[in-house]
Structures are given as structure tokens and as C-alpha cells.
């Protein structure tokens, strides 16, 4: 997708996409944790919690980059 199509640079679009997917993943991983716990798989449940934390960190980093790009554009 190009800037002409969206009105945003490709990098902004890419960051928004990664942020969205990281947040969406974090949402569905909660069910994966419950599934693993319900079947008594504590180690697997912890793995899904770790994946959730990693995606949350990824989304936060994308958000910081987007704020930086927005600030730079405003200047």
C-alpha cells in the first residue's frame, strides 16, 4: 500500500499494522492460556503468557515509534 492510497507513509502503515496484530494476538492468547490451564498444561500456559508479554512490548514499541514520527511531522 502506498502513501497515495492511504495518505500515510508506508512506514506508518507498517507500524500500525504490526501494532494492530500484536494487540489482536494479545487478545486471543488469553483464550490459549485458559485452554492450556483447563487441560493442566501449566508450562504451555506460561509460554502463552510470555508470548502475550512479547506482543504487548512489540505493540508498545510500535506506538512509541508512531508518536516519534507524528512529532517529527508536526515540526
Amino acid at each position: 500500500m502506498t502513501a497515495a492510497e492511504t495518505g500515510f507513509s508506508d512506514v506508518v502503515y507498517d507500524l500500525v499494522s504490526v501494532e494492530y496484530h500484536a494487540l489482536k494476538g494479545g487478545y486471543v492468547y488469553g483464550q490459549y492460556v485458559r485452554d492450556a490451564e483447563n487441560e493442566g498444561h501449566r508450562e504451555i500456559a506460561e509460554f502463552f503468557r510470555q508470548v502475550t508479554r512479547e506482543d504487548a512490548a512489540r505493540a508498545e514499541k510500535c506506538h512509541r515509534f508512531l508518536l516519534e514520527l507524528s512529532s517529527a511531522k508536526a515540526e
Side-chain angles (χ1 to χ4, degrees):
M1 198 158 293
T2 68
E5 294 168 316
T6 65
F8 294 93
S9 78
D10 288 345
V11 171
V12 168
Y13 179 88
D14 297 344
L15 285 167
V16 168
S17 180
V18 170
E19 183 177 19
Y20 168 80
H21 289 287
L23 292 170
K24 182 72 172 172
Y27 177 76
V28 298
Y29 299 150
Q31 182 60 52
Y32 301 170
V33 170
R34 288 187 294 280
D35 291 345
E37 286 177 340
N38 289 341
E39 292 187 24
H41 301 292
R42 290 184 182 136
E43 185 177 0
I44 295 170
E46 182 51 40
F47 165 74
F48 289 133
R49 285 187 193 94
Q50 177 62 37
V51 170
T52 300
R53 290 188 295 270
E54 290 169 359
D55 267 0
R58 187 172 296 110
E60 184 178 328
K61 191 166 189 172
C62 285
H63 196 72
R64 284 195 312 263
F65 283 138
L66 288 165
L67 289 172
E68 288 173 16
L69 291 172
S70 294
S71 295
K73 187 175 183 178
E75 293 174 355

